[in-house]
Amino acid sequence: PGPAVELFKEALRLREDVQKANPKDANAARDVRVSHYRLADAYLKVGDPAAALPHAKRAVAVAEALVKALPKSLPLKQDLAFALAKLGDVYRAEKRTDHAVKQYEDAVRVIEPLAAGSPRDLFLQAVHGLFLAHAGRHAEAAKLAARVRDEAPKNAFLLYTAACAYAVAAEAAGESAGDPKLAADYAEAGLACLRAALAAGYADHDLVRTDPELAAVRKLPGFADVEKDL
């Protein structure tokens, strides 16, 4: 992620030049949002949420402006949901829990109608479930994660996202709802999804070891066996 930060910064400079030359081009603006989003993510991975924050905020601002200009564009609304969630990730890394939850709730409000309008789109269902978990709505999140697990048993990416949703739901059930048994059940379900994702070919093993969304799963005794096989 260290070298990635510098490359994304250079990409942002180039994309901002393109946008200045094409101020009415929505695709140019969207590219700027992508660079801010990726910079925020890269700074999080190097452990610098303070540096990530302005880029996450800018990604949200650009995404909101694009949705306002093109309110019927579903991809732009999806972009906005992801940008809001990334800002939530930054606040979460800064341990500003209330701020983080608000951003995740906003992300849910944006993506919920998109997921409802495309019930067969399992990518949207998986992401919706993950955002719900971050917003503390763990029961709804677990329900969507189970659906994704059952309907996409060989899709490594979707299974990994379901594992993350279960793991974050475990945190919500344990901390917010005060239900340790339910939290343990969610975590075990997340571990099962993670095993299935790896069996299906999920290849980012470094992320499995470090992803903050999988923290509850990594605390389980069974994760040691998974880690040996990475």
Side-chain angles (χ1 to χ4, degrees):
V5 167
E6 296 307 315
L7 292 168
F8 286 140
K9 285 165 67 175
E10 179 62 19
L12 175 60
R13 284 191 288 271
L14 293 168
R15 285 173 161 173
E16 286 178 333
D17 287 345
V18 172
Q19 186 186 24
K20 287 176 184 176
N22 303 274
K24 295 183 180 180
D25 187 339
N27 286 323
R30 194 181 189 195
D31 283 345
V32 169
R33 180 206 63 81
V34 168
S35 286
H36 280 297
Y37 180 94
R38 289 180 175 170
L39 268 169
D41 190 56
Y43 275 122
L44 282 178
K45 287 177 179 175
V46 297
D48 192 350
L53 184 59
H55 292 290
K57 287 183 173 179
R58 187 59 187 154
V60 169
V62 174
E64 287 177 336
L66 283 167
V67 168
K68 184 177 181 180
L70 299 165
K72 294 183 179 180
S73 172
L74 298 184
L76 292 180
K77 290 179 181 178
Q78 186 172 305
D79 288 348
L80 175 58
F82 274 91
L84 289 164
K86 185 57 63 180
L87 182 54
D89 292 344
V90 174
Y91 284 135
R92 188 183 191 214
E94 291 187 325
K95 303 189 185 307
R96 296 163 68 181
T97 304
D98 291 344
H99 287 73
V101 169
K102 181 185 182 304
Q103 296 304 317
Y104 293 131
E105 287 173 344
D106 288 345
V108 168
R109 276 193 286 272
V110 174
I111 207 165
E112 204 156 43
L114 305 182
S118 302
R120 305 311 305 167
D121 186 334
L122 292 181
F123 170 74
L124 280 178
Q125 307 311 314
V127 172
H128 182 203
L130 182 58
F131 292 172
L132 283 167
H134 276 297
R137 292 161 62 178
H138 57 84
E140 296 167 85
K143 184 177 179 180
L144 279 174
R147 181 186 163 198
V148 170
R149 176 198 62 204
D150 294 343
E151 295 186 20
K154 301 295 183 182
N155 187 306
F157 173 77
L158 293 180
L159 288 167
Y160 183 83
T161 305
C164 291
Y166 269 128
V168 177
E171 294 179 11
E175 296 171 5
S176 304
D179 192 336
K181 183 182 182 308
L182 184 59
D185 289 344
Y186 288 156
E188 289 292 347
L191 181 60
C193 280
L194 178 60
R195 286 195 176 108
L198 292 167
Y202 190 79
D204 194 344
H205 294 177
D206 286 338
L207 187 60
V208 172
R209 296 185 181 97
T210 61
D211 193 338
E213 291 179 331
L214 280 180
V217 166
R218 285 196 296 272
K219 293 176 183 177
L220 296 174
F223 182 76
D225 293 331
V226 171
E227 194 167 27
K228 288 177 184 176
D229 294 334
L230 293 180

